[in-house]
């Protein structure tokens, strides 16, 4: 795939994430956004200093894979442009970073989340290889709080008459 088409795809993804964040802001709700999968991007230890500007509790990434490839800067730029957090190398299951592409001993698969979602991640990393793919599956353990939906006023029927509760 040509690098220009990859850039176009990341630009499109950036626009979609920004639109979702704007819609959540308009509705006064947190924008819990997750983008994950096969980016074919080796990010190594590319910097992501912007993360500490919005949350000091998010630890720096720890990666033993120092290498990058031509696609590596794209998810990093996406994160910077949209204030997303690259989970790779930041959670207990993924420290140190495990390869997701065993044949190349490389990490090409990643999860990016909004800062509002990151605190709910208890683990994010790579599972054992499968026969279905040449990449190992990404796994994520989220602990999301449950808030029951608000219910409108209810009506009760007593002795054939309706009363508002």
């Amino acid at each position: 795939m040509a690098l220009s088409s990859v850039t176009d795809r990341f630009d499109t993804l950036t626009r979609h994430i920004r639109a979702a964040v704007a819609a959540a802001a308009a509705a006064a709700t947190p924008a819990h956004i997750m983008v994950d999968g096969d980016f074919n991007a080796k990010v190594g230890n590319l910097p992501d200093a912007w993360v500490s500007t919005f949350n000091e509790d998010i630890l720096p990434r720890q990666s033993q894979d120092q290498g990058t490839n031509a696609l590596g800067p794209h998810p990093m730029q996406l994160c910077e442009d949209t204030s997303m957090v690259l989970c790779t190398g930041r959670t207990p299951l993924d420290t140190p970073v495990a390869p997701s592409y065993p044949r190349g001993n490389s990490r090409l698969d990643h999860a990016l989340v909004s800062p509002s979602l990151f605190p709910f991640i208890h683990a994010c990393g790579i599972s054992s290889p499968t026969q279905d793919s040449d990449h190992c599956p990404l796994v994520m353990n989220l602990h999301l709080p449950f808030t029951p939906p608000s219910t409108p006023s209810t009506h009760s029927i007593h002795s054939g008459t309706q009363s508002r509760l």
Side-chain angles (χ1 to χ4, degrees):
M1 179 181 299
L3 195 54
S4 62
S5 70
V6 169
T7 301
D8 291 343
R9 288 178 186 209
F10 275 97
D11 289 346
T12 299
L13 188 53
T14 298
R15 284 193 303 279
H16 286 294
I17 292 170
R18 284 181 176 161
V21 169
T29 61
H32 294 319
I33 300 170
M34 179 186 330
V35 178
D36 59 80
D38 180 0
F39 288 87
N40 278 327
K42 286 185 69 171
V43 299
N45 280 320
L46 290 172
D48 58 355
W50 65 88
V51 172
S52 64
T53 64
F54 55 78
N55 191 330
E56 295 175 359
D57 295 332
I58 298 177
L59 299 174
R61 291 183 305 110
Q62 298 178 23
S63 178
Q64 295 176 344
D65 183 2
Q66 304 296 316
T68 61
N69 64 9
L71 298 178
H74 289 280
M76 305 307 287
Q77 189 64 51
L78 172 71
C79 286
E80 185 171 3
D81 291 347
T82 60
S83 298
M84 298 282 278
V85 178
L86 178 71
C87 295
T88 304
R90 282 202 163 95
T91 66
L93 185 61
D94 204 27
T95 307
V97 173
S100 61
Y101 183 63
R103 288 190 297 183
N105 199 29
S106 301
R107 178 58 167 274
L108 304 174
D109 304 81
H110 306 282
L112 318 170
V113 299
S114 56
S116 62
L117 188 58
F118 189 82
F120 300 110
I121 299 173
H122 284 242
C124 179
I126 300 299
S127 187
S128 301
T130 68
Q131 295 176 344
D132 300 334
S133 175
D134 58 345
H135 291 244
C136 298
L138 277 172
V139 294
M140 183 178 288
N141 185 343
L142 294 170
H143 287 245
L144 299 172
F146 174 73
T147 305
S150 60
T151 57
S153 298
T154 58
H155 297 277
S156 179
I157 299 177
H158 297 281
S159 304
T161 61
Q162 194 175 44
S163 63
R164 191 173 187 112
L165 297 176

